[in-house]
Amino acid sequence: AQRAINELFVLYPDYPGAWKLLGDIFYQQQQWKEAMNCYQKIFQAQNSQELNSGELWQKYGDCFFHLRRFSHAYKAYQKAICYLPENYYCYMSLCLAGLQAGFYDELKPFLAKALVLHPRPFQIHYFYAICYHKENNQEKSDYHWQRAVQLLPSGITLPEIK
């Protein structure tokens, strides 16, 4: 497969589909920086509209996230949501990156949408609790902490909010 991709790049060095294929291989191998570089080539290509998708932006965000570049991941996940407005995973990824980046106030609309898409997950309430805790709103933080604990599957414990 690698030889075929190399031949494809020799024939069509600017072909976005080849960059996506190579990026997806790096992504599967958890080579985040290499995958991210391939995805950037797609975004820079002029004729890449068919590849400019929510899935691609999600993977691009995942690369940034794994490289601990949370604000960039957050922005990529926002783009993914534009293409995939009903995708719960995109919202949860965005919220996790936003928490890591410290974007507490910005997260609430995304958390609200995630709650509509999947109304019982404990993670959403846990993320709300963190946001409100960071904003010094202990009453709302406690409420969401209690909801998260109520919805928690057995055998799982939540990390303490600091």
Side-chain angles (χ1 to χ4, degrees):
Q2 185 64 45
R3 193 177 76 176
I5 293 170
N6 290 340
E7 290 175 16
L8 185 61
F9 277 115
V10 169
L11 295 172
Y12 306 101
D14 296 325
Y15 178 58
W19 287 110
K20 181 172 184 327
L21 181 61
L22 185 59
D24 288 348
I25 290 169
F26 284 134
Y27 183 92
Q28 289 298 320
Q29 295 173 347
Q30 298 180 0
Q31 295 180 21
W32 308 118
K33 188 172 171 92
E34 292 81 0
M36 183 180 67
N37 290 336
C38 291
Y39 296 148
Q40 284 173 337
K41 296 274 191 190
I42 297 167
F43 297 133
Q44 294 166 354
Q46 297 212 348
N47 298 325
S48 66
Q49 285 302 83
E50 72 278 358
L51 298 173
N52 198 354
S53 68
E55 177 194 357
L56 184 63
W57 281 104
Q58 176 71 41
K59 288 180 176 180
Y60 191 56
D62 291 346
C63 292
F64 279 119
F65 189 89
H66 288 289
L67 294 170
R68 304 189 61 77
R69 296 175 63 186
F70 301 117
S71 62
H72 290 359
Y74 181 82
K75 290 174 187 170
Y77 293 139
Q78 283 180 311
K79 292 267 194 178
I81 286 171
C82 291
Y83 291 94
L84 303 168
E86 302 300 314
N87 187 303
Y88 175 74
Y89 179 74
C90 287
Y91 285 91
M92 293 307 289
S93 299
L94 178 136
C95 291
L96 192 53
L99 286 173
Q100 295 292 331
F103 301 150
Y104 309 114
D105 193 47
E106 293 178 36
L107 290 180
K108 291 185 194 110
F110 297 109
L111 288 167
K113 178 64 177 184
L115 203 54
V116 168
L117 293 173
H118 196 300
R120 291 194 45 88
F122 66 92
Q123 299 99 325
I124 297 170
H125 288 287
Y126 180 65
F127 291 169
Y128 264 126
I130 293 170
C131 289
Y132 285 120
H133 177 78
K134 296 292 185 179
E135 294 174 347
N136 295 318
N137 187 335
Q138 204 55 44
E139 183 179 334
K140 287 187 177 182
S141 180
D142 289 345
Y143 167 78
H144 285 287
W145 173 263
Q146 290 303 318
R147 288 292 295 141
V149 169
Q150 290 169 356
L151 297 170
L152 199 62
S154 62
I156 297 177
T157 58
L158 292 173
E160 198 172 314
I161 298 174
K162 298 177 184 176

